[in-house]
């Protein structure tokens, strides 16, 4: 079972002394384990594409590339990072609700498969190419999805994809395009899901949607991209997702949908990168205010904004101090009361104590507000 912390106390201490704090450290071994544990249980017809937005660190990208990963990009910056890996064609995808023309041009020059999020993407691609070009259509389905955590949005109004009910009109418009061919479907509607059965229920509904589009509109899909969404534990009581059950379920879906002979794509970000990261920051001072004990740290939401966005803290421990029974409100050094990393139970803390935040390899530094208050950007250490 994956630990909430990729590094033990002694390693955290050494990293902090060698590189200074605050800093992020990523374990190449843990990243490889996450990839291997998932790859091993997926049917061969499921392609694994790492969602670069989770963490674009070059060490991670190179490690996943060496293990055979494909890549899901969502900006020109991410495309450039993946371009540096010099992958064979067919291993990169480009999604995103607001793709600019220069980004589409870059993707097409690289031979990347674009996930078109509406007619505008299709028309722009058509104008940029001079030969038949396969694209995937991202559809925002009409079926009910209870995402719970609002990261992607579940059902309801969405900036992502074309609403399922608008697909017939889009296909009519697309009929006038000269080069674009819709040969894939993309649906991603729920993130951080640790219940494999719930993810599989969504995947089953997506295959049902694909079949309706195939039967009603004659679309032939080479690939159906099911997006990311595999969750990870952020607390000891949270069970990891059952990847074996997920693999088994996908295999059953492929058998049940024998009309579909192409490949499925999974684009996990959090699952592949989350567990490999640890954020290290020291306590600057302790303050008691009207009954609340604050531990004010060197870094806060400038480096880790997720607790503010989701209300769920990262797991944290005081390095070298064992279990604790004191309640602390963890804050950063920023001049805003939004700068909170959580309410946690820790041993008695003092200035310069080192805290380790686990599972910070995904949506950590790259999702933070690093420019706010102009603190230095923390180093990211690749540990292999
Ligand atoms: C298109 C797309 N694919 C994959 C992902 C990765 O999702 P997760 O980290 O939940 O696996 C995202 C995340 O926002 C996304 O937008």
């Amino acid at each position: 079972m994956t630990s909430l912390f990729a590094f033990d106390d002694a390693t955290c201490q050494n990293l902090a002394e060698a590189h200074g704090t605050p800093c992020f450290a990523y374990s190449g071994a843990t990243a490889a384990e996450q990839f291997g544990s998932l790859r091993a249980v997926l049917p061969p017809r499921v392609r694994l594409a790492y969602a670069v937005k989770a963490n674009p660190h070059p060490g991670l990208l190179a490690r996943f590339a060496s293990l055979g990963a494909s890549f899901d990009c969502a900006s020109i910056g991410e495309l450039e990072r993946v371009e540096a890996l010099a992958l064979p064609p067919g291993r990169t995808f480009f999604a995103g609700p607001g793709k600019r023309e220069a980004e589409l041009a870059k993707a097409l020059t690289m031979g990347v498969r674009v996930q078109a999020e509406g007619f505008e993407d299709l028309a722009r691609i058509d104008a940029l190419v001079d030969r038949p070009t396969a694209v995937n259509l991202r559809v925002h389905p009409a079926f009910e999805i209870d995402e719970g955590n609002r990261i992607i949005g579940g059902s309801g109004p969405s900036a992502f994809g074309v609403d399922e009910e608008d697909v017939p009109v889009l296909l009519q418009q697309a009929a006038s395009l000269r080069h674009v061919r819709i040969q894939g479907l993309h649906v991603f509607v729920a993130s951080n899901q640790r219940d494999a059965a719930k993810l599989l229920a969504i995947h089953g509904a997506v295959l049902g949607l694909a079949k309706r589009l195939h039967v009603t509109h004659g679309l032939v899909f080479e690939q159906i991209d099911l997006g990311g969404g595999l969750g990870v534990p952020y607390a000891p009581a949270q069970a990891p997702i059952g990847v074996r059950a997920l693999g088994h379920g996908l295999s059953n879906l492929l058998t049940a949908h024998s009309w579909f002979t192409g490949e499925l794509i999974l684009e996990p970000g959090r699952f592949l990168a989350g567990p490999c990261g640890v954020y290290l920051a020291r306590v600057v001072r302790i303050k008691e205010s009207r009954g609340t004990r604050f531990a004010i740290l060197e870094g806060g939401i400038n480096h880790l904004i997720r607790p503010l966005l989701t209300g769920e803290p990262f797991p944290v421990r005081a390095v070298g101090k064992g279990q604790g029974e004191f309640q602390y409100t963890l804050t950063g050094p920023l001049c805003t009361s939004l700068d909170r990393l959580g309410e946690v139970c820790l041993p008695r803390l003092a200035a310069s104590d080192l805290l380790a935040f686990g599972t910070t390899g995904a949506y950590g530094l790259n999702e933070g507000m690093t420019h706010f208050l102009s603190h230095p950007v923390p180093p990211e250490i690749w540990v292999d």
Side-chain angles (χ1 to χ4, degrees), residues 51 53 72 95 138 152 186 188 191 228-230 267-270 363:
K53 63 177 73 63
D72 157 54
R138 183 168 183 179
I152 294 297
H186 182 276
F188 177 39
S191 182
L230 284 74
E267 298 172 341
R270 185 187 315 273
Y363 309 113

Side-chain angles (χ1 to χ4, degrees), residues 42-46 200 203-204 207-208 211 224 226 246-264:
L42 293 177
R45 269 172 67 201
V46 180
L200 283 166
H203 297 338
L207 279 154
K211 188 173 179 187
I224 298 177
L226 301 167
L246 184 67
H248 191 63
L250 288 172
S251 179
N252 288 342
L253 281 176
L254 283 169
T255 308
H257 286 269
S258 54
W259 63 271
F260 172 63
T261 54
E263 64 174 356
L264 295 177

